[in-house]
Amino acid sequence: MSRPVRVAILGATGAVGKAMIETLLRRKFPFTTLKLLASARSAGQVVHIQGVPYTVEEATPESFADIDVALFSAGGDISLRFAKEAVARGALVIDNTSAYRMDKSVPLIVPEVNADAFSTHQGIIANPNCSTIQMVVALAPLHRRYHIRRIVVSTYQAASGAGERAIEELRETSRAILDGRAPEPSLLPVAKLKNHYPLGFNVIPQIDVFEENGFTKEEMKMVRETHKILGDESIAVTPTAVRVPVVYGHSEAVYIETELPFVVDDVRTLLRDAKGVTLQDDPTRQEYPQPYFAAGHFDVFVGRIRRDLYAENGLNLWIVSDNILKGAAYNAVQIAELWLRQEGITA
Ligand SMILES: NC(=O)c1ccc[n+]([C@@H]2O[C@H](COP(=O)([O-])OP(=O)(O)OC[C@H]3O[C@@H](n4cnc5c(N)ncnc54)[C@H](OP(=O)(O)O)[C@@H]3O)[C@@H](O)[C@H]2O)c1
């Protein structure tokens, strides 16, 4: 069956929004109209997509009146302002921000893991945090087979996770240090806080603000969202989220403990066969995932798989993925593809 498929992207001029446009094209998403929305700052800007000019419009509630699927990626407060307005006008909202992720009435979906939650939506579906997405894609098959009791994860997160301006700040601070000038950061780790640190030639163990328990908001997202997506609040998750001077691609050193025993080669087979995972795990050939090579790809790359030295049911893994693609734009488009399937629309 074919019918018009009207898509809007809110935040179309941002790091994730641009990747959403690219991903819709790469996936041959069958949109018949595409509306690019941003703030008044970018309204009037012309973007050429496959040779066709599209003019960026300032988002208003009425922007969503004739839209089937709206991909939101303009920040949490903008989602809070527009998501319900868009739903009221008949659009399905796929929200890439943290605004609705922990709302009990909003499914939080990673299609490889819990696509079945799609049918429970009431107009809004949330796209999880980038670090959580890549971790659960790799861990869900292991949880199903061996039941994970504990996860200890340290992230190595790219600048692009903090938006276009953070990429620029990484470049600027690196350039200043290479030139022997004092770097002048004004954005990272958190724009609204007093102290800013250079990301060039540095590693910053703070992503987002601190909560009262000493963990950052980014770290607590990894705890709460993992529980919601895997449907299991009993998993003990201990995250440390760190920003590193990489432009694209988050990496994660992950240690898990399982209830059931495993054979390491079986874990490899399970991951080799897992949807959305590419296994890169051959120490004899120095094969392991790296963000430099994962950038631009949709999959989650897993390697450095080894049993722990001290805990029989302990396993170490290294998980890498493009934070802008699987961590944001591609996961959102995959959710939109679930909608296509529900509507019986083929490309
Ligand atoms: N980067 C990631 O890895 C990642 C991953 C997952 C989720 N996210 C989330 O996705 C959102 C966007 O991230 P990003 O990295 O793409 O940020 P970004 O590069 O800073 O882009 C922000 C976008 O939002 C638009 N915008 C800002 N204020 C607006 C307003 N008042 N009305 C309408 N549009 C407005 C901007 O438009 P103008 O051009 O008009 O300013 C721009 O298109 C954030 O909530 C972020 O947490 C990011």
Side-chain angles (χ1 to χ4, degrees), residues 138 141-142 266-274 277 279 302 305 317:
L142 306 184
D266 291 347
V267 169
R268 283 202 188 91
T269 304
L270 207 55
L271 288 169
R272 188 178 291 115
D273 295 343
V277 172
L279 188 70
V302 185
I305 298 171
L317 314 99

Side-chain angles (χ1 to χ4, degrees), residues 33 51 53 55 71 76 79 97 107 117 123 130 137 157 171 176 178 242 254 283 304 306 309 319 330 339:
T33 55
T55 304
L71 304 174
S79 290
T97 76
C130 41
V137 167
Q157 297 184 218
R171 293 207 172 102
L178 281 171
V242 180
V254 179
R304 299 296 323 276
R306 60 215 189 274
L309 291 174
I319 302 171
Y330 173 54
W339 174 82

Side-chain angles (χ1 to χ4, degrees), residues 11 13-16 38-39 41-42 73-75 78 96-97 160-161 163-164 323-324:
T13 53
V16 175
S39 76
R41 284 182 296 273
S42 298
S73 184
I78 314 297
N96 201 37
T97 76
S160 55
E164 291 276 83
N323 54 300
I324 297 288

Side-chain angles (χ1 to χ4, degrees), residues 15-202:
V16 175
K18 286 179 192 162
M20 283 171 164
I21 298 171
E22 180 202 317
T23 304
L24 288 171
L25 298 176
R26 280 174 67 180
R27 298 289 298 173
K28 299 191 170 28
F29 195 91
F31 60 83
T32 47
T33 55
L34 181 63
K35 195 178 268 194
L36 304 184
L37 303 169
S39 76
R41 284 182 296 273
S42 298
Q45 211 182 88
V46 177
V47 178
H48 286 87
I49 303 174
Q50 293 186 317
V52 179
Y54 290 77
T55 304
V56 176
E57 297 169 34
E58 180 181 359
T60 69
E62 279 314 306
S63 307
F64 303 97
D66 51 0
I67 292 300
D68 298 302
V69 177
L71 304 174
F72 275 37
S73 184
D77 47 342
I78 314 297
S79 290
L80 289 172
R81 192 185 323 156
F82 289 116
K84 290 192 175 155
E85 300 279 5
V87 173
R89 287 164 177 78
L92 169 68
V93 171
I94 301 170
D95 183 28
N96 201 37
T97 76
S98 58
Y100 291 100
R101 286 181 192 150
M102 295 318 296
D103 185 323
K104 283 197 167 53
S105 67
V106 174
L108 182 65
I109 297 184
V110 178
E112 292 85 347
V113 180
N114 63 338
D116 51 331
F118 181 86
S119 61
T120 66
H121 81 79
Q122 297 167 30
I124 303 175
I125 296 174
N127 210 38
N129 167 268
C130 41
S131 306
T132 310
I133 293 178
Q134 68 182 65
M135 186 171 80
V136 297
V137 167
L139 295 191
L142 306 184
H143 185 52
R144 281 188 208 114
R145 179 73 63 89
Y146 305 111
H147 191 194
I148 296 172
R149 311 205 82 153
R150 181 167 186 75
I151 302 171
V152 181
V153 50
S154 298
T155 70
Y156 303 66
Q157 297 184 218
S160 55
E164 291 276 83
R165 286 179 52 222
I167 300 175
E168 196 42 44
E169 183 157 298
L170 167 59
R171 293 207 172 102
E172 277 302 318
T173 55
S174 301
R175 207 172 286 134
I177 291 168
L178 281 171
D179 292 349
R181 287 182 282 117
E184 292 175 0
S186 60
L187 184 70
L188 293 169
V190 182
K192 65 185 176 202
L193 296 184
K194 196 169 93 219
N195 294 325
H196 298 116
Y197 306 117
L199 187 57
F201 301 95
N202 195 17

